[in-house]
Amino acid sequence: QVQLVESGGGLVQPGGSLRLSCAASGSFIGIDDMGWYRQAPGKERGMVATITSGGRINYVDSVKGRFTISRDSAKNTIYLQMNSLKPEDTAVYYCNAVALIPGRVRRSNYWGQGTQVTVSS
């Protein structure tokens, strides 16, 4: 009932920039938290940045000062501006949303398909 469509991944050189987008669609009543997570080969998926419906933002320490998450609530869309990219940022980036849909009493997590970000010279 909630689809998350991501875009913006690609291959960049160290120090470069990318901007990821994630648009939520479906028959949801409302969306609470949204965020970006990433998973590198051989590692667990971890939080990169989250933003609540009220605009409260949290970043993992390794991206503070380099990445910026933003949200357009009217469009149910979040963005991740990634600057000063490092090879260690290479991962599949996943969009996440917590949403309530009709007929449910509890909110659930939904995930996008992931978009590859590769930082390499």
Side-chain angles (χ1 to χ4, degrees):
Q1 307 328 107
V2 179
Q3 295 81 44
L4 303 176
V5 180
E6 301 153 331
S7 62
L11 172 64
V12 297
Q13 296 184 27
S17 298
L18 285 173
R19 185 174 186 256
L20 307 183
S21 300
C22 171
S25 62
S27 59
F28 50 82
I29 296 173
I31 297 178
D32 193 0
D33 295 352
M34 297 187 74
W36 293 97
Y37 295 72
R38 66 186 180 186
Q39 186 169 22
K43 298 184 178 180
E44 296 182 348
R45 186 178 301 185
M47 186 271 288
V48 178
T50 59
I51 183 167
T52 70
S53 59
R56 188 169 70 250
I57 293 171
N58 191 30
Y59 297 100
V60 67
D61 286 344
S62 59
V63 309
K64 289 181 178 178
R66 299 189 297 120
F67 292 9
T68 302
I69 188 172
S70 59
R71 180 170 183 167
D72 185 340
S73 295
K75 297 181 179 179
N76 295 308
T77 300
I78 60 169
Y79 308 90
L80 186 67
Q81 179 66 47
M82 303 185 293
N83 299 325
S84 302
L85 283 162
K86 304 175 181 179
E88 49 263 46
D89 295 318
T90 296
V92 177
Y93 284 69
Y94 297 91
C95 181
N96 172 265
V98 179
L100 180 66
I101 65 175
R104 302 290 182 88
V105 297
R106 301 180 69 89
R107 291 167 171 81
S108 298
N109 273 324
Y110 298 88
W111 293 93
Q113 77 287 350
T115 184
Q116 178 71 48
V117 172
T118 302
V119 185
S120 177
S121 59

